[in-house]
């Protein structure tokens, strides 16, 4: 069961990184790559959307930096550390 959780988290992390990379590239809406980007958005938006609305964008120069992917990645690592925490031996 823990291996399945690790695999799902790894896939989700890859989806987040894919979404980040696709956000930097202009993609035409009729492109086949737009379908992949749409799937990545649908998969990652349930966690990133509420965080994006709660966190203000970090303003750097003339653009805003979305912090929601960073927060989601930290949360995933935190949950995994709780799941795989070794019980203390006394």
């Amino acid at each position: 069961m823990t291996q399945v959780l690790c695999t799902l988290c790894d896939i989700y992390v890859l989806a987040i990184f894919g979404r980040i990379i696709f956000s930097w590239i202009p993609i035409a809406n009729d492109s086949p790559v737009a379908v992949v980007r749409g799937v990545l958005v649908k998969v990652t938006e349930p966690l990133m959307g509420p965080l994006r609305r709660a966190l203000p964008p970090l303003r750097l120069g003339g653009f805003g930096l979305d912090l929601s992917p960073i927060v989601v990645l930290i949360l995933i690592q935190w949950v995994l550390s709780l799941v795989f925490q070794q019980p203390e031996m006394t």
Side-chain angles (χ1 to χ4, degrees), residues 32-89:
V33 179
V35 174
V36 175
R37 180 183 58 190
V39 169
L40 293 175
V41 169
K42 284 182 182 178
V43 167
T44 58
E45 192 63 21
L47 286 180
M48 290 175 51
L51 284 171
R52 186 179 306 105
R53 289 186 291 276
L55 296 171
L58 180 65
R59 296 288 174 197
L60 296 173
F63 65 95
L65 179 65
D66 181 14
L67 298 176
S68 62
I70 297 168
V71 174
V72 170
L73 292 172
I74 291 170
L75 286 173
I76 289 171
Q77 290 301 313
W78 179 70
V79 167
L80 286 176
S81 71
L82 289 177
V83 168
F84 295 110
Q85 184 176 7
Q86 296 293 326
E88 293 184 23
M89 307 265 310

Side-chain angles (χ1 to χ4, degrees), residues 10-25 27 33 36-41 44 48 69 73:
D10 287 343
I11 292 169
Y12 200 80
V13 166
L14 288 174
I16 290 172
F17 279 112
R19 181 174 175 176
I20 291 168
I21 291 169
F22 280 138
S23 73
W24 298 336
I25 304 168
I27 300 172
V33 179
V36 175
R37 180 183 58 190
V39 169
L40 293 175
V41 169
T44 58
M48 290 175 51
L73 292 172

